[in-house]
Amino acid sequence: MIRINDVCKTYIMGEEIVRALDHASLHIAEGEFVGVVGPSGSGKSTLMNIIGCLDMADSGEYLLDGQRIEHYSENELAQIRNKKIGFIFQNFNLLAKMTAAENIELPLVYQRVGQKDRRERVAQALERVGLTDRKTHKPTELSGGQQQRVAVARAIATNPSLLLADEPTGNLDSRTGEEIMRLFEDLNREGNTVVLITHDEKVAARTGRTVRIFDGRIEEGV
């Protein structure tokens, strides 16, 4: 599903050149649950941004479902991000003025899904994460764990083939983080490909395969 071959990504920070990815290669098969673990500044988020088509590599090759990403137009990349990839972030990225249901529905509106279908998908996603009774609550009325569940529901409502989670337990206590990890395990058992970015070795150990990244280099698990 994902093939990253010899990818480099460099940023200029003042007078310093930072090699965020340094000839990194990574292959992920459909249906895998892969944890990418490394310290802050190791290149984890850059790798996720490239996998998620939010950024492009300076060199190297990225194939998603057999297609080279650089061959797509910006509009086509936006369609891939909206339909094929579900994003879950550490800070939840929920809109404060919208209810849980409205936050989940938003990407479906962008996809121009019909209203009846949208409501059915939102209801299914809320049930899947155990928040049916919180659908009218706004983010400030929800706990951190509940907000992350809404974020997961928003990601799965579009029926993506790939879930990308960036430090999804980073802002949660251990008990709530455990609940979120069980949810990811369930989603993976149901056939979803999951890539989870983390600095926590214990979280990474819960995935099916662990890839370590340090100074932009993927060291093992390829």
Side-chain angles (χ1 to χ4, degrees):
M1 183 181 197
I2 293 169
R3 296 185 69 87
I4 289 175
N5 299 317
D6 205 32
V7 161
C8 295
K9 183 67 179 181
T10 301
Y11 298 102
I12 298 175
M13 309 282 287
E15 297 182 355
E16 184 181 2
I17 297 175
V18 178
R19 295 186 181 277
L21 291 177
D22 189 4
H23 299 282
S25 294
L26 174 65
H27 301 162
I28 297 174
E30 185 175 356
E32 273 200 280
F33 187 3
V34 175
V36 179
V37 64
S40 177
S42 61
K44 300 189 305 296
S45 292
T46 300
L47 178 64
M48 193 194 94
N49 287 341
I50 288 175
I51 292 174
C53 302
L54 297 169
D55 200 358
M56 300 291 282
D58 295 332
S59 63
E61 179 183 61
Y62 174 31
L63 291 89
L64 180 62
D65 290 336
Q67 298 294 318
R68 291 177 65 111
I69 287 300
E70 62 266 29
H71 291 171
Y72 289 103
S73 68
E74 277 301 319
N75 285 339
E76 288 171 331
L77 287 174
Q79 289 292 313
I80 290 170
R81 289 191 295 267
N82 200 20
K83 293 184 177 181
K84 185 171 285 192
I85 304 171
F87 295 93
I88 301 107
F89 298 97
Q90 179 177 359
N91 294 321
F92 320 133
N93 287 8
L94 301 177
L95 297 179
K97 294 183 178 180
M98 287 187 168
T99 65
E102 289 168 342
N103 268 284
I104 297 166
E105 185 180 20
L106 192 59
L108 300 174
V109 173
Y110 291 147
Q111 287 186 8
R112 299 182 179 178
V113 175
Q115 186 179 62
K116 181 180 178 182
D117 194 9
R118 290 202 310 266
R119 288 177 177 174
E120 289 176 355
R121 290 209 216 172
V122 169
Q124 290 168 359
L126 281 165
E127 183 177 2
R128 184 68 195 78
V129 301
L131 285 179
T132 300
D133 61 341
R134 294 289 189 271
K135 64 182 180 181
T136 60
H137 288 60
K138 293 182 178 178
T140 54
E141 301 169 323
L142 300 170
S143 68
Q146 289 170 337
Q147 289 183 63
Q148 191 59 291
R149 285 177 176 271
V150 172
V152 172
R154 179 182 58 192
I156 64 177
T158 59
N159 298 321
S161 56
L162 172 64
L163 291 173
L164 285 181
D166 190 6
E167 299 279 6
T169 62
N171 284 340
L172 306 176
D173 61 58
S174 58
R175 181 182 63 81
T176 308
E178 167 69 20
E179 293 173 358
I180 294 298
M181 286 304 299
R182 282 203 299 267
L183 180 55
F184 281 121
E185 289 167 346
D186 289 344
L187 290 168
N188 177 244
R189 278 193 290 269
E190 291 167 8
N192 294 282
T193 305
V194 183
V195 179
L196 189 151
I197 308 292
T198 183
H199 68 277
D200 190 330
E201 289 280 355
K202 291 182 179 178
V203 170
R206 297 285 296 272
T207 66
R209 175 162 67 100
T210 300
V211 173
R212 288 180 172 78
I213 186 168
F214 186 75
D215 286 345
R217 289 182 173 271
I218 294 175
E219 297 184 328
E220 59 181 77
V222 178

